[in-house]
Amino acid sequence: MSANSRLTIAAHALAWIGLYQRQGHEVATSEQIATSANTNPVVIRRLLGELRRAGLVESRRGVGAGWSLARDLESITLLDVYEAVESGPLFAMHRTTPDQGCVVGYGIQPAMQGIYEGIEETLRRELACVTLADVLRDVLAAPR
C-alpha cells in the first residue's frame, strides 16, 4: 500500500501561496504551485478546489487569475487542511464482513475500532496544534 500525500501536497500549496503573497504577489497560479510540488497542475487545481470549498483559499478568474489565501497562515491549522482534503476515516474495516463463526473474525472489528478511534483522536489533536505559519517557518528554517 502506498501512503496518501494529499495533506502534504495541500499544505505545500498553502505554504507556497502564503510565501508568495508575503513577497508582494496577489495571486498564485496552479502552474506555479505545481512546479514547486513537482506535480501536475490538475492535481493542484483539484486540491485547491477542495480548499476553496473549506474557505481556506479564494480563486480569481479572468485577467490576473489565480489563487490566494482566504485566511492568514496563522489561522489555518493542519486539521483545517486535513478536514478539507481527506474524506472518511483514517483506517477502515474489512470490505466484507469477516467470518462471524470464527472467534477472530467475530471480534476483530470491535477490537480494532476502539484502537482506530484513539489514533484518529490523537491525530486530530496534534494537527490542530500546528498552523500553516508554523509549517512555513519550519520550511524556511530547513537547511539547504
Side-chain angles (χ1 to χ4, degrees):
M1 288 185 218
S2 64
N4 184 333
S5 63
R6 290 171 52 79
L7 176 60
T8 302
I9 300 298
H12 183 140
L14 290 168
W16 197 94
I17 294 169
L19 178 61
Y20 197 61
Q21 286 184 276
R22 286 182 183 179
Q23 294 170 339
H25 304 278
E26 286 188 38
V27 296
T29 68
S30 54
E31 288 79 10
Q32 291 169 315
I33 301 163
T35 298
S36 175
N38 196 25
T39 192
N40 191 301
V42 172
V43 171
I44 298 299
R45 281 192 287 276
R46 285 184 185 141
L47 280 172
L48 289 172
E50 293 174 33
L51 296 170
R52 179 181 52 215
R53 284 187 286 283
L56 303 179
V57 296
E58 299 171 333
S59 61
R60 184 186 303 171
R61 295 179 180 261
V63 177
W67 300 88
S68 60
L69 297 177
R71 297 173 18 200
D72 292 333
L73 288 178
E74 292 80 4
S75 71
I76 301 172
T77 68
L78 284 179
L79 180 59
D80 296 327
V81 181
Y82 175 78
E83 289 175 340
V85 301
E86 297 294 344
S87 60
L90 187 59
F91 299 106
M93 293 296 141
H94 305 74
R95 293 186 191 273
T96 59
T97 304
D99 179 359
Q100 297 297 287
C102 168
V103 66
V104 175
Y106 179 79
I108 192 69
Q109 288 185 333
M112 297 304 290
Q113 190 64 41
I115 294 166
Y116 291 164
E117 286 171 2
I119 292 168
E120 183 89 22
E121 181 180 317
T122 300
L123 172 73
R124 290 178 163 289
R125 189 172 49 250
E126 291 296 318
L127 291 176
C129 293
V130 181
T131 69
L132 265 292
D134 298 330
V135 171
L136 182 57
R137 182 194 65 240
D138 292 348
V139 164
L140 296 175
R144 291 184 60 106

